[in-house]
Amino acid sequence: MAFPRVKPAADETAFSECLLKRNQDLSPTPAEQSSILSLVTKINNVIDNLIVAPGNFEVQIEEVRQVGSYKKGTMTTGHNVADLVVILKILPTLLSMLTNETGFEISSADATVKILITTVPPNLRKLDPELHLDIKVLQSALAAIRHARWFEENASQSTVKVLIRLLKDLRLRFPGFEPLTPWILDLLGHSAVMNNPSRQPLSLNVAYRRCLQMLAAGLFLPGSVGITDPCESGNFRVHTVMTLEQQDMVCFTAQTLVRVLSHGGYRKILGLEGDASYLALEMSTWDGVIVTPSEKAYEKPPERKEEEDDEGLEEEGGGEDESMETQD
């Protein structure tokens, strides 16, 4: 049983309304949704026909899967892009498959579909680096499928999707959150909403505040358990893809925003009052309370003077060579 509150919970009706308004502003317009759905449907139909009746089409396709924010329902307005993964039965070669490093794009007037190329997992052991696509690109596309499947099974709650959309917007507006990948944001949003004793979704305002509090408390710092990737084996912690500097930057940026939020600065943080990126860098005042930005705690160690050491060894080696020549 939880301890009783010392004082009544603050009324966060206005904060909740602002969160919903911001989500509405960020959600794709009906026109955007219609255009991307139309393009995805056309491309899916073409690929499905090639799978069933390839005819003279030389490339053998295993299946096509929708992934990314389009599949998850977390797209934002102004970025009308859907991702499809095409899984080939054959080994994809560099020349025949790519217009970019991951695949190719198909666009209409106001929508784009990214086609990501990969192959069936058994083929990954047969790749020739000089002939076929980079194995990291192929593995990344397969991981995107696992992510979409996990999200569909575990994070379909509307509160999770709204929170992730808001977090993606926060990442774009505050440079300190730039290292957070889309997959990290998905897992962070899901954890903030669902990871509680009751296993029932928390309200949006509580979950949003909780995200910042977890980041500020060091969820993604070295030594922290963090969030284990549910789609990878070996207890892989998702935040280890960030450098130590980036982990520190995410933490001290969140610490500053938590303090701003606690003094009523949610409109600024949500972007409802213009650019607020300065909040993480400059002092600000809220009802007479001065909020000073947190500073970085991690200092990158000086680079080892390997070049100087190498030069020193060369000089020593050169001296020995000269002495040997003199002796001869």
Side-chain angles (χ1 to χ4, degrees), residues 278-296:
Y278 69 90
L279 290 178
L281 305 172
E282 303 173 10
M283 287 193 301
S284 55
T285 304
W286 308 92
D287 291 333
V289 178
I290 297 176
V291 173
T292 303
S294 294
E295 298 180 356
K296 65 180 181 179

Side-chain angles (χ1 to χ4, degrees), residues 225-245:
V225 174
I227 299 176
T228 302
D229 194 326
C231 296
E232 302 295 336
S233 59
N235 294 321
F236 177 75
R237 296 176 298 159
V238 293
H239 70 277
T240 56
V241 300
M242 296 187 287
T243 66
L244 297 180
E245 286 179 293

Side-chain angles (χ1 to χ4, degrees), residues 12 16 19 159 163 192-193 200-209:
E12 294 201 326
S16 298
L19 287 167
T159 305
L163 179 58
V193 174
Q200 297 300 312
L202 298 178
S203 61
L204 182 59
N205 61 306
V206 173
Y208 189 90
R209 186 187 302 275

Side-chain angles (χ1 to χ4, degrees), residues 202-221:
L202 298 178
S203 61
L204 182 59
N205 61 306
V206 173
Y208 189 90
R209 186 187 302 275
R210 193 180 186 204
C211 277
L212 291 177
Q213 289 172 336
M214 289 193 297
L215 293 177
L219 179 68
F220 292 152
L221 286 183

